[in-house]
Amino acid sequence: MNPTEVLTRYTANFVDELSKNGVTDIVISPGSRSTPLAMTIAEHPDIKEWIVIDERSAAFFAMGIAKKAGHAVALVCTSGTAAANYFPAIVEANYSRVPLIVLTADRPHELRDIGAPQAIEQLKLYGDYVKWFQEMALPEASENMLSYVRNKSARAVFMANEGNPGPVQLNFPFRDPLVPDFSIENLWSNQSSDPRNHTVEGKKQLSTNQIISIIEKLKGKGRGLIVCGPQTDQELAQAVTKVAEAWGLPILADPLSQLRAGEHAKDLIVETYDAIFRDERLRNKLRPDYIIRFGAMPISKPYLFYVNENKHIPQFVVENYTGFREPTGNNTEFIFSDAVLFCNSLLTIEYTPEQDKEWLEDWQSMNRIAKKHLLAEAGDELTEGEAVRALVDVIPESSSIYVGNSMAVRDLDTFFFTTPKHLSILANRGANGIDGMISSGLGAAITGAPVTLVVGDLSFYHDLNALLIAKQYKLNITILLINNNGGGIFSFLPQSQEKKHFEVLFGTPVDIEFKHAVQMYGGMYASAGTEEELKAVLYDSYQHKGLSVVEVKTDRETNTSWHRSKWKAIAEELKGEA
């Protein structure tokens, strides 16, 4: 068997096994050393290849696909710094638990560490940020080696998806020749439609005795709180609201919890806790007897203050598999169980919970008062909070909102109120970086369902290269670009008082007319100055096929003052009610 046929059979078996294990989308960044993988993927009838030139964008694009789809997506790049450009997205995927299969092509062993071009140290390049690493064998086509390569392929998919999902890396050394021959007979070798290794993985569930033990610790405690942080399970909303109704407890629901939108009951959901907790006196008044938290730590910094100020109250954190996401360091009981099954189990135990009706009524009253202030009109100029409100009003049913970090996600936290619309809220809240946001939003858009990316100007600038993906694949996406000409979040931090250095080091205005960039990539551009104008242009954008960017220009200082005036008015009325 000649070297080309050996290469072809080896690579074809690996790629075919990816498909048999459920991989449908693979993102490829062009390069020479990755030719065997890239061409074989493009040849496979059941895999959709996405060609993204910029590796950093490619990795965040793959992450957006995987986050929306809920299963692993593969990435392919050539050797050298191409693989290094994946690093930011791999870090994010690790912390936000997104399954990626990273396939890095490499020089063969004899060309490493001798000054050969495009050869860097790629073994365990991503360190502990991947769940699993394998240095693949050089291609061979014996029966044993084709079995080997299929086993590695199947295991890569399993490892990326199992438990808490995350990225894995397989490093492929390839010698010349690199171009496969697809004319060979029985190219995909294994004609069975079944995957190589069948795997069955169950969900974690507590025993009845373990559930009873937890309930025993709550007896006599009526001032409980259910907290739902960032998570993606759409079934949790129904399950957790049933527990809240049975136990008479308020639910503090993060905007990324998937609880603020949908058909489930929302009478007990408190969306405005971030605004309420900004006042220390109110935090003191609302001391709980215990907290049960689902999902990651909420976005809200005032909530972090609240938890820190209640270190000695019992706190239970429910994780579907494992994990210790508790940044306060408080004494916490971690419950490793599927969250939906845990909620259902709580309701199967014969238990009459202690209910403090005044506790629940106080929360509901405070939430109504805070919403009244947050819904009040601001005046003639459109504010960043009003932009988020307008979006939620007009966004189509069954949409996804992909929200950027810094101010964008915090404004969504403050101004996204409960709605019966079916909305999926996504974000890159693992490492909380501002890079790769357009790429991730576009990844979520490949299904064709409406996607709106809410992003600030610095995040938009950071990922301008990704607009080529929208042009290349004619993806439908609306980008709500909130442009305060710089890092708006820093205006809320102590650095803002350092006037001498603030603007250069933190404000960082870019003074770019983004309209030209949007048009360069064939997108539709519009701007809005009032809330009604914004609703109109957003509505138009949802009728448009392809890329639409709607820009809202705001002033950082005005925006900071407006937010603070809202928080002050809420605190003053709530303290008067106390």
Side-chain angles (χ1 to χ4, degrees):
M1 195 179 294
N2 64 51
T4 297
E5 184 175 352
V6 169
L7 171 75
T8 304
R9 292 199 180 280
Y10 180 89
T11 311
N13 274 266
F14 179 85
V15 170
D16 187 56
E17 195 63 33
L18 288 179
S19 175
K20 283 180 167 54
N21 282 270
V23 174
T24 56
D25 296 274
I26 300 182
V27 182
I28 302 169
S29 293
S32 176
R33 191 58 51 172
S34 54
T35 295
L37 286 167
M39 289 186 65
T40 306
I41 289 162
E43 187 73 13
H44 198 283
D46 298 322
I47 292 176
K48 168 64 179 174
E49 76 279 4
W50 303 87
I51 313 303
V52 179
I53 296 170
D54 183 321
E55 285 86 3
R56 187 173 71 170
S57 284
F60 278 105
F61 179 66
M63 194 172 68
I65 299 173
K67 190 179 281 280
K68 178 64 177 173
H71 57 70
V73 173
L75 279 160
V76 174
C77 72
T78 191
S79 62
T81 57
N85 278 302
Y86 282 168
F87 216 136
I90 288 170
V91 170
E92 174 61 33
N94 172 272
Y95 284 117
S96 58
R97 300 178 176 177
V98 178
L100 296 179
I101 301 168
V102 184
L103 310 176
T104 52
D106 202 352
R107 298 284 184 172
H109 303 81
E110 67 269 18
L111 293 180
R112 297 177 186 175
D113 198 26
I114 60 169
Q118 218 170 317
I120 68 171
E121 179 53 76
Q122 293 180 201
L123 301 187
K124 298 192 175 180
L125 176 63
Y126 308 114
D128 292 336
Y129 290 108
V130 293
K131 296 175 64 180
W132 184 65
F133 167 82
Q134 285 289 291
E135 163 81 336
M136 297 296 290
L138 285 160
E140 292 183 37
S142 66
E143 185 177 341
N144 282 344
M145 287 305 291
L146 295 185
S147 176
Y148 155 85
V149 79
R150 281 190 179 271
N151 285 336
K152 294 299 183 186
S153 180
R155 187 172 174 189
V157 181
F158 172 76
M159 291 298 295
N161 286 318
E162 70 91 26
N164 293 323
V168 301
Q169 181 200 1
L170 292 87
N171 196 59
F172 283 82
F174 289 124
R175 291 191 178 116
D176 292 328
L178 297 172
V179 178
D181 177 11
F182 299 126
S183 68
I184 64 175
E185 293 183 5
N186 194 19
L187 175 63
W188 308 113
S189 183
N190 185 349
Q191 298 303 315
S192 169
S193 61
D194 294 331
R196 178 76 179 187
N197 298 322
H198 289 276
T199 56
V200 179
E201 186 181 19
K203 295 179 178 180
K204 283 181 175 286
Q205 186 172 12
L206 301 189
S207 68
T208 300
N209 286 341
Q210 288 172 316
I211 294 290
I212 291 172
S213 173
I214 291 168
I215 287 175
E216 287 291 330
K217 296 172 185 177
L218 307 181
K219 285 187 175 179
K221 302 178 188 296
R223 293 163 60 94
L225 271 181
I226 294 176
V227 177
C228 291
Q231 65 91 41
T232 56
D233 187 350
Q234 297 289 339
E235 296 181 8
L236 179 61
Q238 286 282 5
V240 79
T241 50
K242 287 180 181 178
V243 173
E245 288 170 345
W247 290 15
L249 300 179
I251 305 172
L252 310 190
D254 184 272
L256 306 178
S257 66
Q258 317 307 323
L259 263 72
R260 296 194 191 181
E263 294 180 353
H264 55 278
K266 302 183 188 67
D267 293 346
L268 304 182
I269 290 178
V270 177
E271 318 103 298
T272 64
Y273 61 91
D274 177 82
I276 294 168
F277 283 155
R278 288 179 182 274
D279 186 271
E280 185 177 1
R281 180 178 164 186
L282 293 174
R283 295 200 301 271
N284 289 333
K285 179 193 174 185
L286 295 167
R287 291 192 180 278
D289 290 335
Y290 64 89
I291 295 173
I292 302 175
R293 197 189 85 212
F294 300 87
M297 192 71 171
I299 292 161
S300 168
K301 192 169 184 178
Y303 174 77
L304 183 66
F305 295 157
Y306 178 71
V307 176
N308 273 321
E309 291 161 0
N310 289 282
K311 286 184 178 295
H312 303 297
I313 66 104
Q315 179 178 223
F316 304 85
V317 173
V318 183
E319 292 275 10
N320 284 349
Y321 290 95
T322 57
F324 295 87
R325 297 184 294 185
E326 201 346 273
T328 65
N330 288 6
N331 189 16
T332 299
E333 184 164 338
F334 291 94
I335 299 170
F336 298 135
S337 169
D338 178 81
V340 174
L341 294 178
F342 175 70
C343 289
N344 294 341
S345 296
L346 289 177
L347 297 176
T348 62
I349 304 299
E350 188 173 333
Y351 167 59
T352 303
E354 192 80 20
Q355 294 196 8
D356 186 331
K357 291 185 178 179
E358 186 177 343
W359 168 252
L360 177 58
E361 289 168 359
D362 281 349
W363 274 106
Q364 291 174 313
S365 174
M366 288 184 171
N367 195 48
R368 285 192 296 270
I369 290 169
K371 284 172 72 170
K372 177 188 70 176
H373 288 280
L374 294 171
L375 286 166
E377 298 295 328
D380 295 333
E381 292 186 10
L382 181 60
T383 66
E384 297 179 15
E386 287 177 318
V388 170
R389 282 188 343 210
L391 167 64
V392 178
D393 280 349
V394 300
I395 193 169
E397 176 70 24
S398 301
S399 286
S400 293
I401 296 176
Y402 215 119
V403 61
N405 287 311
S406 295
M407 280 307 298
V409 73
R410 286 167 174 82
D411 275 324
L412 192 75
D413 192 1
T414 304
F415 296 98
F416 169 34
F417 305 120
T418 54
T419 173
K421 290 180 180 179
H422 292 85
L423 301 176
S424 173
I425 315 298
L426 306 172
N428 294 348
R429 288 300 293 177
N432 302 356
I434 67 168
D435 46 351
M437 290 309 311
I438 298 176
S439 301
S440 293
L442 288 167
I446 72 162
T447 62
V451 173
T452 303
L453 172 66
V454 183
V455 71
D457 53 293
L458 290 186
S459 285
F460 190 81
Y461 166 73
H462 229 275
D463 202 22
L464 275 176
N465 283 358
L467 294 178
L468 181 62
I469 306 172
K471 178 178 183 291
Q472 189 175 353
Y473 291 105
K474 298 179 174 57
L475 296 176
N476 297 329
I477 190 170
T478 292
I479 300 178
L480 175 55
L481 169 57
I482 301 177
N483 185 355
N484 54 34
N485 199 25
I489 195 168
F490 289 104
S491 296
F492 293 87
L493 301 179
Q495 293 94 316
S496 62
Q497 303 307 309
E498 302 297 325
K499 301 300 182 185
K500 179 180 177 181
H501 300 293
F502 178 76
E503 200 63 8
V504 173
L505 295 178
F506 305 104
T508 58
V510 293
D511 297 309
I512 288 176
E513 288 294 331
F514 290 111
K515 175 180 180 179
H516 305 305
V518 175
Q519 292 174 339
M520 179 174 73
Y521 289 102
M524 185 186 82
Y525 172 88
S527 61
T530 68
E531 191 166 354
E532 290 308 310
E533 285 178 1
L534 178 57
K535 289 180 181 180
V537 294
L538 282 172
Y539 178 82
D540 289 343
S541 77
Y542 296 127
Q543 318 312 310
H544 173 72
K545 298 296 183 183
L547 169 67
S548 297
V549 177
V550 177
E551 185 174 22
V552 173
K553 292 185 177 181
T554 64
D555 177 79
R556 275 184 270 131
E557 290 189 9
T558 302
N559 178 60
T560 306
S561 298
W562 181 77
H563 278 78
R564 285 176 172 159
S565 68
K566 290 279 187 186
W567 297 328
K568 182 179 179 182
I570 291 168
E572 287 179 351
E573 182 167 353
L574 291 181
K575 283 189 283 191
E577 293 281 315

